[in-house]
Amino acid sequence: MKLLYKDPGYKYSVESISEFIKQDEFWSEPIFHFFPELLKFKGSFDESSDNKDIVKEISGTVFELYKSREKEIQSKVISYQENWNRYERLINERFSSIFQFDTSDIFNDLVCNITLNPISPRYLREHVFDVFYMNSDEGSMGSALHEIVHYLWFYLWNKKYKDSYEQYEAPSLIWILSEAVVEQILSDEEFNKINPYHESGNAYPYFYNMIVTGRSLYDYLNEIYKNNSMDKFMDESYQFMVENEKEIRRQML
């Protein structure tokens, strides 16, 4: 498993920001927080329209934002890559142990685009994910580890269940599980040394406050994870999610 950092240019950020700026506050507010220049577009998207005029206006604003930050982004391409290269061997060793197969044999074409979008989506089929340019070198590593968990998790999941990649995206229950178990998988002493996010939590905040049948969601998942192989962890954790889906989804709101 190898990772290459790239600056995809301002047009990539335009497309990414335009996609998330029209969504609900959970996804759009971080964009407005970091770039108040884009607040004028809040609520401007029409679901019945292709919104080409708005995207064109956004493109002009994002271009100016990008040009004023281009040198910083280029420097991050270098520093993020150097940080990854420093720990690549360790990362493969730990993920190989956790997932119980040699991860150095797969995903040797992973690409991380450094963009203006703080949401930083990932694209499973394309082997691409994004990172926000304002991340520190250490923060970029934490983000990369989170996303790589998804690639490895769904690689095994697909081999095991032979289902569709369309089911691996929100709001699928399979997707919810994949986001929750990032906490168990990255709770590794060696990862903690290079991942600054382990102290605040590796997963979405709402998972840490979930109570299911009187206990913390993570009490259940931690117990299943510690007492099973990865193969059985997938089986039993998903069965738990199925049995408690209604309550889990309610607490995600």
Side-chain angles (χ1 to χ4, degrees), residues 209-237:
N209 299 319
M210 281 189 184
I211 302 297
V212 181
T213 62
R215 291 177 63 193
S216 163
L217 168 72
Y218 277 148
D219 281 349
Y220 291 106
L221 292 183
N222 289 340
E223 188 175 290
I224 298 170
Y225 182 71
K226 290 175 181 178
N227 295 315
N228 290 282
S229 65
M230 182 60 69
D231 184 73
K232 290 296 292 181
F233 177 56
M234 287 183 168
D235 286 336
E236 295 192 17
S237 62

Side-chain angles (χ1 to χ4, degrees), residues 24-40:
D24 61 37
E25 290 187 359
F26 181 84
W27 300 108
S28 62
E29 282 305 313
I31 297 173
F32 299 130
H33 171 76
F34 287 105
F35 303 115
E37 297 92 337
L38 295 169
L39 276 167
K40 58 187 174 183

Side-chain angles (χ1 to χ4, degrees), residues 80-119:
Y80 289 178
Q81 189 70 60
E82 288 177 345
N83 194 48
W84 168 268
N85 292 346
R86 188 176 300 118
Y87 296 109
E88 182 181 283
R89 182 174 180 177
L90 169 67
I91 292 166
N92 273 297
E93 287 176 350
R94 295 313 306 142
F95 274 136
S96 294
S97 175
I98 292 165
F99 282 96
Q100 299 160 2
F101 75 96
D102 188 355
T103 65
S104 65
D105 290 339
I106 61 169
F107 296 124
N108 287 315
D109 60 347
L110 285 175
V111 172
C112 180
N113 288 317
I114 303 172
T115 81
L116 298 181
N117 186 357
I119 304 304

Side-chain angles (χ1 to χ4, degrees), residues 31-251:
I31 297 173
F32 299 130
H33 171 76
F34 287 105
F35 303 115
E37 297 92 337
L38 295 169
L39 276 167
K40 58 187 174 183
F41 301 110
K42 189 174 185 178
S44 298
F45 281 82
D46 183 352
E47 292 184 5
S48 62
S49 167
D50 59 16
N51 298 291
K52 286 185 178 180
D53 290 343
I54 299 172
V55 172
K56 186 176 181 180
E57 288 187 54
I58 289 175
S59 179
T61 302
V62 172
F63 175 74
E64 295 300 324
L65 292 168
Y66 173 82
K67 292 304 291 183
S68 65
R69 295 161 173 80
E70 186 173 11
K71 288 184 179 179
E72 182 178 359
I73 292 172
Q74 290 294 327
S75 71
K76 292 296 181 70
V77 171
I78 296 170
S79 64
Y80 289 178
Q81 189 70 60
E82 288 177 345
N83 194 48
W84 168 268
N85 292 346
R86 188 176 300 118
Y87 296 109
E88 182 181 283
R89 182 174 180 177
L90 169 67
I91 292 166
N92 273 297
E93 287 176 350
R94 295 313 306 142
F95 274 136
S96 294
S97 175
I98 292 165
F99 282 96
Q100 299 160 2
F101 75 96
D102 188 355
T103 65
S104 65
D105 290 339
I106 61 169
F107 296 124
N108 287 315
D109 60 347
L110 285 175
V111 172
C112 180
N113 288 317
I114 303 172
T115 81
L116 298 181
N117 186 357
I119 304 304
S120 301
R122 52 112 173 111
Y123 306 95
L124 287 172
R125 288 186 179 277
E126 292 80 4
H127 298 178
V128 173
F129 62 92
D130 298 351
V131 66
F132 189 37
Y133 85 99
M134 289 184 70
N135 256 309
S136 64
D137 293 348
E138 295 76 17
S140 72
M141 177 62 76
S143 295
L145 292 174
H146 178 112
E147 300 305 337
I148 288 168
V149 167
H150 293 311
Y151 286 97
L152 296 173
W153 176 267
F154 285 125
Y155 172 81
L156 285 184
W157 185 278
N158 188 260
K159 290 185 68 172
K160 179 178 175 63
Y161 297 110
K162 305 186 187 306
D163 48 10
S164 168
Y165 267 70
E166 281 67 35
Q167 298 179 61
Y168 303 163
E169 304 296 343
S172 162
L173 188 63
I174 297 173
W175 169 80
I176 295 173
L177 174 62
S178 77
E179 291 292 352
V181 299
V182 170
E183 175 61 26
Q184 282 69 51
I185 294 168
L186 288 184
S187 292
D188 175 272
E189 288 186 8
E190 293 303 315
F191 281 151
N192 288 348
K193 296 175 183 177
I194 62 173
N195 173 22
Y197 298 136
H198 78 275
E199 293 183 354
S200 58
N202 295 301
Y204 287 136
Y206 48 68
F207 287 121
Y208 298 92
N209 299 319
M210 281 189 184
I211 302 297
V212 181
T213 62
R215 291 177 63 193
S216 163
L217 168 72
Y218 277 148
D219 281 349
Y220 291 106
L221 292 183
N222 289 340
E223 188 175 290
I224 298 170
Y225 182 71
K226 290 175 181 178
N227 295 315
N228 290 282
S229 65
M230 182 60 69
D231 184 73
K232 290 296 292 181
F233 177 56
M234 287 183 168
D235 286 336
E236 295 192 17
S237 62
Y238 185 62
Q239 183 59 38
F240 173 82
M241 301 295 276
V242 170
E243 293 171 357
N244 298 281
E245 179 175 4
K246 184 176 180 180
E247 183 60 20
I248 289 168
R249 287 189 183 277
R250 184 186 67 79
Q251 295 181 65

